[in-house]
Amino acid sequence: MQKFSYVIKDEVGIHARPAGLLVKEAKKYESTITIVKDAKSAAATKLMAVMGLGVKCGDTVDVEVEGPDEETACAKIKEFFEANL
Amino acid sequence: MAMDYAKCAKEIYDTLGGRSNLVSAAHCATRLRLVTVDNSKIDMKKLENIDGVKGVFSNNGQLQLIIGTGTVNKVYEEFLNVSGMTAATKEEVKAAAAAQQPLFKRMIKALGDVFVPILPAIVASGLMMGLVEALGKAIPSFAGSDWYGILDLMANTAFTFLPVLIAVSAARVFGGNIFLGAVIGMIMIHPSLINAWSVGSMDAAEIPVWRLFGFFPIRQVGYQGHVIPVIIAVWLMCVIEKWLHKHVPEMIDLFVTPLCTVLVTAFITLGIIGPIFSTAESYVLEFAGWIITVGHGVGAMIMGALYPLTVVCGIHHMYNVIEAGMLSAADGLNIWMPIASAANFAQGAACLAVGLKSKNLKTKSVAIPSSLSAALGITEPAIFGVNLRFVKPLVCGMVGGAAGALLGSIFHIGATSYGVTGIPGFLITLDYTVQYAIVLAVAFGVSFVLTWFIWKEETEETEETGKAASDTTTASESETVQSEKALFAPIKGNIINRQAIPDETFAAGVLGDGVGIEPEVGEVVAPFDGEISSVTDTRHAVGITGPGEMEVLIHVGIDTVNMNGDGFELFVSEGDKVKAGQKLMTFDIAKIKAAGYSTTTAVLLTNSDDYPEFKIVKTGKTNTMEKVFTIE
């Protein structure tokens, strides 16, 4: 499993639009991508679940990637976070 | 991360309260789906904390545990071991969760599901065929011309290869590989087999037969114009294919499964299904030839009623034999033609009544051209696309057909040729123009009037229930809404296309398909019975999960996240169960506008990719709880 932590810099947090883009990105990979915030976790492919985490600016999230293409997926998702969130 | 699947499964099983609380189990790509006797007995928190379970929620009577791709199937297998249950498919779990529909209804529905997608092809062909044939009869010199030849080819292609279209569509409906389905369809009309249309005029002895093992006979006859045998064959194919996928080791699955699927299905189709149908056909043919001679038009009346059913079974192409036989007899008149004509015309009338009465645009757009095609004598689009789906129009059409056929027999109408019915039929009944017109008028009138009064569009009822729910907002009245996979308007206002929402992300469909609503009133109600799956601290958006696992996001205004909740009030929180029409949120339209943002609210089905069909049924002005879109 690959994982990384990330502090959200986007003002509105992981809200509808960024969440939608994230889900779209996450669906590209075979690996299961899970976003963990505090005790809650959500599959990154499920928009409602991702939004349900209520991630705000300044929050720290852990992103876990597990599956056959976990290395590329993890790197790409990390890039995505840095570029968008 | 290596995970102990057995341990995970065991813990899930123990938390669920043992075998007695379990109905069935299945899994999809990421989730373990369970139907339990009583969800309330289960400690959800404990389930969530099991190592390997990433999330838990319950939906539509199903308990779903998110486990993850590649691991869920292993946990599932272990789960079956510890629980002692047998494997169930996702469909079975869905079926167990939903109320069982009667078999007959499901069969009619399957037939409709198969036919609706191919309707454009057969409506086009039906109309062209009717026109080309009518022109051919009206202008004899045209019938032999090159123009006729090429137009006829274009017109009859969809019907000549109808089994292929049906097979592809059926494979999709029954969940098989559509290309294998196409192969089965093509086998059934392979040019090496004798065309079903010419078999009728051949002696039984002339028909070539293969003899396998020296005794097992397979007649070399195709299935042109057939519907039911093709659907049965493809259904069988899908059953075989799915079974093989499950039992063949993955290494050799790719070549073993398709090979065995096609081989076994083709043998059963040509060897068993085929003979059963051809035997049935010859009996029907004999019966039809006999009954129209019975008792002063009574027999003709019965045939007029039964005729569309024989079209459904694909037997009608055999009737040419009866007609040809009549014409070659001493008096040489075709008394079969008025019966067929009345029956066809009546089906067209029933279809037209549906088209005019229906408020559903899609039904209208199918029914009206189909009825025109039926008036020209090609009834398949009307029968399969419309009448059979709703059943009542078919029956009303049968009554109309019977009335017309009875009159035709009383008038002793005889045609001088065969091959056309309906309006072009005038051309071959020149000695009986008035009588023939009366027959058609009666068949049309009876069928149309009956259909108009007896058939009621089902969706109307649900819409009314939906409105009632919004007025009273009581739990019991919105139950109809729940059973249907539809979204009802959460806001009063003006519905616009998703593409017209003034925000790129929403408009492009990144967050799923849906609509925008320009609100007139600042209140959001639940669009169906469901569970609140997400709310935001800024109170301007709410996610709700409803029937058929629809996950809908209602996002009030554009960029309103920047208002930080000012002007928004939320009445529900995450995990709340809500009833359709229940108030979820209010917002201050004036405040949003004053802050410089658009009030256009996105109502999006975020998992629209999961459904093969997403249909918007309403745009423009809407009240709350009017049906906006449906999924299948």
Side-chain angles (χ1 to χ4, degrees):
Chain A
M1 189 183 70
Q2 303 266 323
K3 63 187 285 179
F4 64 89
S5 290
Y6 185 82
V7 181
I8 303 294
K9 295 173 188 68
D10 190 282
E11 261 178 43
V12 301
I14 306 183
H15 180 55
R17 194 169 313 146
L21 295 169
L22 171 61
V23 167
K24 209 177 164 195
E25 179 71 20
K27 279 186 178 164
K28 289 184 192 162
Y29 308 103
E30 263 182 74
S31 298
T32 313
I33 300 166
T34 315
I35 315 271
V36 185
K37 186 211 153 197
D38 303 332
K40 278 165 68 176
S41 71
T45 47
K46 305 293 287 182
L47 180 68
M48 287 299 172
V50 172
M51 284 179 57
L53 293 176
V55 178
K56 288 188 285 289
C57 186
D59 285 350
T60 306
V61 292
D62 293 318
V63 181
E64 299 175 2
V65 185
E66 189 184 353
D69 57 353
E70 57 187 34
E71 272 171 38
T72 33
C74 188
K76 290 281 180 192
I77 291 288
K78 198 167 178 192
E79 272 174 34
F80 174 87
F81 269 82
E82 280 157 3
N84 296 285
L85 290 160
Chain B
M1 179 174 70
M3 185 178 134
D4 189 343
Y5 307 121
K7 181 164 163 281
C8 176
K10 181 79 174 68
E11 283 176 11
I12 295 171
Y13 178 70
D14 290 342
T15 315
L16 293 176
R19 180 70 183 88
S20 60
N21 197 31
L22 275 168
V23 178
S24 63
H27 72 86
C28 60
T30 53
R31 296 176 213 173
L32 184 63
R33 295 160 178 252
L34 305 166
V35 178
T36 58
V37 179
D38 186 358
N39 272 353
S40 64
K41 281 187 191 164
I42 300 161
D43 183 350
M44 296 287 186
K45 276 276 160 296
K46 204 171 155 198
L47 267 185
E48 277 183 23
N49 291 331
I50 294 173
D51 193 23
V53 177
K54 298 196 174 84
V56 179
F57 58 98
S58 76
N59 198 345
N60 284 348
Q62 273 188 32
L63 185 68
Q64 307 191 351
L65 289 81
I66 302 168
I67 294 181
T69 346
T71 45
V72 65
N73 46 346
K74 304 205 171 90
V75 172
Y76 173 68
E77 272 160 30
E78 293 295 339
F79 186 80
L80 292 185
N81 282 340
V82 290
S83 63
M85 296 174 78
T86 48
T89 63
K90 199 161 61 184
E91 283 73 26
E92 276 170 336
V93 174
K94 277 187 183 155
Q100 285 276 355
Q101 271 192 319
L103 181 69
F104 174 73
K105 256 199 152 159
R106 277 184 288 153
M107 280 168 64
I108 296 275
K109 186 174 180 301
L111 207 55
D113 290 345
V114 168
F115 253 87
V116 169
I118 61 173
L119 276 179
I122 58 174
V123 167
S125 283
L127 282 174
M128 261 203 285
M129 228 160 116
L131 290 170
V132 172
E133 278 175 14
L135 277 174
K137 291 281 175 197
I139 314 164
S141 63
F142 175 68
S145 70
D146 291 352
W147 271 109
Y148 181 86
I150 194 167
L151 287 172
D152 192 45
L153 174 134
M154 292 169 182
N156 71 35
T157 299
F159 282 93
T160 308
F161 298 100
L162 187 63
V164 180
L165 297 178
I166 290 173
V168 169
S169 182
R172 221 178 59 169
V173 169
F174 298 130
N177 182 303
I178 59 170
F179 300 103
L180 292 183
V183 171
I184 296 298
M186 289 187 273
I187 287 174
M188 296 178 79
I189 53 164
H190 196 287
S192 297
L193 300 173
I194 293 176
N195 192 320
W197 295 89
S198 39
V199 157
S201 53
M202 290 169 73
D203 280 339
E206 287 175 41
I207 298 169
V209 174
W210 284 304
R211 290 186 193 282
L212 305 181
F213 312 116
F215 65 92
F216 190 80
I218 293 181
R219 295 194 330 152
Q220 300 177 26
V221 176
Y223 289 81
Q224 284 81 359
H226 280 70
V227 172
I228 307 285
V230 181
I231 295 178
I232 294 175
V234 173
W235 173 78
L236 185 74
M237 181 203 91
C238 296
V239 172
I240 295 172
E241 193 192 342
K242 283 181 196 163
W243 190 88
L244 286 171
H245 271 313
K246 222 181 273 172
H247 292 85
V248 173
E250 208 173 320
M251 293 259 299
I252 52 171
D253 185 53
L254 188 64
F255 64 94
V256 168
T257 300
L259 175 74
C260 296
T261 304
V262 170
L263 215 61
V264 174
T265 310
F267 267 112
I268 295 178
T269 304
L270 297 179
I272 299 170
I273 301 176
I276 292 174
F277 265 84
S278 65
T279 311
E281 275 178 6
S282 50
Y283 280 121
V284 170
L285 204 61
E286 237 170 76
F287 171 80
W290 165 75
I291 197 159
I292 58 164
T293 61
V294 172
H296 307 290
V298 174
M301 189 173 86
I302 295 172
M303 198 59 232
L306 297 180
Y307 190 90
L309 298 183
T310 65
V311 173
V312 172
C313 297
I315 297 171
H316 59 304
H317 62 266
M318 304 289 283
Y319 294 147
N320 282 352
V321 183
I322 299 181
E323 293 177 279
M326 286 174 175
L327 288 169
S328 60
D331 53 354
L333 277 181
N334 174 3
I335 60 164
W336 175 266
M337 179 269 179
I339 297 172
S341 205
N344 286 346
F345 214 64
Q347 289 300 324
C351 184
L352 183 67
V354 171
L356 293 178
K357 194 177 175 186
S358 172
K359 291 196 176 62
N360 183 324
L361 259 179
K362 197 154 184 194
T363 307
K364 262 188 184 326
S365 65
V366 168
I368 290 172
S370 297
S371 65
L372 192 59
S373 160
L376 296 173
I378 310 292
T379 48
E380 276 91 344
I383 291 179
F384 286 105
V386 179
N387 297 357
L388 185 60
R389 268 164 71 202
F390 301 124
V391 184
K392 276 178 186 163
L394 181 77
V395 177
C396 296
M398 285 164 67
V399 175
L406 176 65
L407 273 179
S409 178
I410 290 171
F411 292 149
H412 294 290
I413 299 176
T416 51
S417 174
Y418 64 92
V420 290
T421 58
I423 292 170
F426 279 107
L427 300 166
I428 57 169
T429 52
L430 293 172
D431 297 337
Y432 303 92
T433 302
V434 177
Q435 290 95 322
Y436 187 70
I438 296 172
V439 166
L440 292 190
V442 167
F444 184 95
V446 170
S447 169
F448 187 93
V449 170
L450 280 177
T451 308
W452 186 267
F453 287 109
I454 291 176
W455 179 73
K456 284 193 180 63
E457 195 163 28
E458 275 167 22
T459 50
E460 283 177 352
E461 293 163 18
T462 32
E463 256 174 49
E464 273 161 24
T465 322
K467 278 176 201 150
S470 78
D471 292 335
T472 56
T473 330
T474 58
S476 62
E477 294 205 48
S478 56
E479 264 161 22
T480 339
V481 180
Q482 186 195 15
S483 62
E484 200 187 14
K485 292 176 195 164
L487 175 133
F488 297 84
I491 296 177
K492 183 177 176 179
N494 187 34
I495 301 176
I496 59 171
N497 285 335
R498 185 197 79 218
Q499 290 83 347
I501 302 175
D503 175 276
E504 255 179 60
T505 322
F506 293 146
V510 172
L511 292 133
D513 213 338
V515 295
I517 300 181
E518 295 165 341
E520 279 174 22
V521 180
E523 181 182 278
V524 179
V525 301
F528 39 53
D529 291 358
E531 191 177 323
I532 301 298
S533 45
S534 81
V535 294
T536 54
D537 291 344
T538 46
R539 300 190 289 271
H540 71 290
V542 57
I544 174 170
T545 307
E549 290 171 48
M550 280 194 282
E551 295 183 352
V552 166
L553 170 71
I554 301 168
H555 186 282
V556 177
I558 307 297
D559 292 329
T560 40
V561 62
N562 300 328
M563 292 172 71
N564 265 323
D566 185 27
F568 296 92
E569 197 174 350
L570 204 55
F571 299 90
V572 287
S573 46
E574 199 179 318
D576 282 2
K577 295 247 186 291
V578 294
K579 286 284 174 188
Q582 183 179 332
K583 183 158 78 171
L584 303 181
M585 182 207 288
T586 55
F587 55 96
D588 190 331
I589 294 180
K591 247 189 187 155
I592 297 175
K593 283 186 177 157
Y597 300 115
S598 160
T599 57
T600 303
T601 297
V603 180
L604 302 169
L605 181 62
T606 60
N607 56 343
S608 57
D609 289 350
D610 294 350
Y611 307 102
E613 205 165 310
F614 171 85
K615 240 185 337 203
I616 293 177
V617 293
K618 185 164 182 84
T619 48
K621 290 265 174 225
T622 184
N623 216 321
T624 54
M625 300 318 287
E626 289 193 48
K627 198 192 288 181
V628 179
F629 58 71
T630 61
I631 53 146
E632 255 177 59

